[in-house]
């Protein structure tokens, strides 16, 4: 009598795919506060010098006349210093927030690499795993011996070894401002996302479905 083989539906791990946009890194704030400091420093020095000269020459009335202007310059200087320190603090907070974002995105990228690796290792197991399936070893799933069908794209694929392959999940960034201090970190994340390492390399003994037969 013919022997029938039970071929349950093929269940595979998830293979993630897609493109992820990396946000632009923050750029340093404008140097308006620094420029204002320089702008007010010159008249402030001039006024202080005039006051000193007036004091030495005994022209106290002139010193009192210039006092309101000096106070105005001092007030502007204090405001400029405050704005300068505030911009530096905000720049630091933005850089730290972006660094945390890159760390989280790298963690997600590595997780997607692990999922891809699990997908390809599941579909292209090593020889020990295959022999365990054949021999019915502990924990082996014998039904997987017949899980591939002729209409599967990997039907007839043979594992050659381990290597690197292009990732199905890539990270992209548009380098709009290449002078941003954290742009190299963002580019490094995009570059690292392109290749998955330590993954089975296969060769197909027949054209994939939808491809023309070279013969």
């Amino acid at each position: 009598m013919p022997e029938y083989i039970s071929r349950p539906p093929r269940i595979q791990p998830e293979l993630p795919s897609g493109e992820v946009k990396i946000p632009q890194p923050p750029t340093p704030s404008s140097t308006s506060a620094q420029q204002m400091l320089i702008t007010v420093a010159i008249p402030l020095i001039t006024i202080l010098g005039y006051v000193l000269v007036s004091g030495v020459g005994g022209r106290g009335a002139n010193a009192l006349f210039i006092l309101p202007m000096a106070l105005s310059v001092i007030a502007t200087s204090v405001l400029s210093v405050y704005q300068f320190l505030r911009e530096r603090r905000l720049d630091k907070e933005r850089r730290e927030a972006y660094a945390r974002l890159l760390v989280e995105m790298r963690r997600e990228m590595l997780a997607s690499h692990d999922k891809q690796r699990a997908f390809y290792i599941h579909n292209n197991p090593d020889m020990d795993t295959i022999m365990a399936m054949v021999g019915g070893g502990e924990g082996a799933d014998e039904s997987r011996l017949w899980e591939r069908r002729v209409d599967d794209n990997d039907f007839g694929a043979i594992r050659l070894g381990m290597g690197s392959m292009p990732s199905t999940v890539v990270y992209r960034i548009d380098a709009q401002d290449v002078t941003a201090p954290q742009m190299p970190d963002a580019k490094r994340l995009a570059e690292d996302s392109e290749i998955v390492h330590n993954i089975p390399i296969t060769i197909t003994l027949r054209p994939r479905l939808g491809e023309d037969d070279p013969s």
Side-chain angles (χ1 to χ4, degrees):
M1 295 181 61
E3 180 180 352
Y4 294 95
I5 299 174
S6 175
R7 303 183 71 179
R10 186 178 184 184
I11 301 176
Q12 305 178 70
E14 175 191 4
L15 177 62
S17 63
E19 182 174 298
V20 180
K21 288 289 186 180
I22 303 176
Q24 290 291 321
T27 56
S29 301
S30 63
T31 58
S32 58
Q34 301 180 37
Q35 293 174 349
M36 188 177 296
L37 283 175
I38 297 174
T39 302
V40 300
I42 296 176
L44 180 61
I45 294 174
T46 303
I47 292 173
L48 290 177
Y50 184 81
V51 170
L52 291 175
V53 172
S54 299
V56 173
R59 292 177 292 179
N62 291 336
L64 292 176
F65 175 77
I66 205 171
L67 183 60
M69 184 182 299
L71 293 176
S72 175
V73 173
I74 292 174
T76 304
S77 301
V78 171
L79 179 61
S80 299
V81 171
Y82 169 77
Q83 292 178 343
F84 174 73
L85 296 177
R86 179 175 178 273
E87 288 183 0
R88 287 189 60 182
R89 177 176 57 81
L90 293 177
D91 283 343
K92 181 181 178 181
E93 292 176 355
R94 283 191 287 264
R95 289 195 304 270
E96 291 176 348
Y98 191 76
R100 290 193 297 270
L101 174 64
L102 290 183
V103 170
E104 180 61 27
M105 295 188 74
R106 178 170 291 276
R107 185 179 296 112
E108 294 173 354
M109 182 265 290
L110 293 176
S112 73
H113 283 191
D114 289 339
K115 289 182 178 180
Q116 295 175 62
R117 196 173 292 112
F119 174 86
Y120 288 110
I121 290 177
H122 174 84
N123 287 325
N124 304 281
D126 57 20
M127 187 58 65
D128 292 339
T129 303
I130 295 176
M131 295 305 296
M133 292 180 188
V134 174
E138 182 179 355
D141 186 359
E142 296 182 29
S143 64
R144 290 198 58 203
L145 290 174
W146 312 102
E147 67 179 0
R148 289 189 186 180
R149 294 160 172 81
V150 293
D151 55 351
D152 288 333
N153 271 328
D154 59 352
F155 184 83
I158 298 178
R159 171 170 165 162
L160 300 179
M162 301 294 286
S164 302
M165 288 180 57
S167 174
T168 57
V169 179
V170 292
Y171 285 61
R172 303 292 187 201
I173 183 169
D174 298 327
Q176 297 179 359
D177 186 0
V178 296
T179 62
Q182 292 170 297
M183 180 61 77
D185 297 331
K187 287 184 175 180
R188 190 176 304 112
L189 173 62
E191 293 171 357
D192 292 344
S193 73
E194 295 179 353
I195 301 296
V196 182
H197 302 286
N198 194 28
I199 201 168
I201 304 299
T202 62
I203 184 173
T204 303
L205 302 182
R206 70 163 193 178
R208 292 184 179 274
L209 294 179
E211 296 181 354
D212 295 333
D213 190 340
S215 61

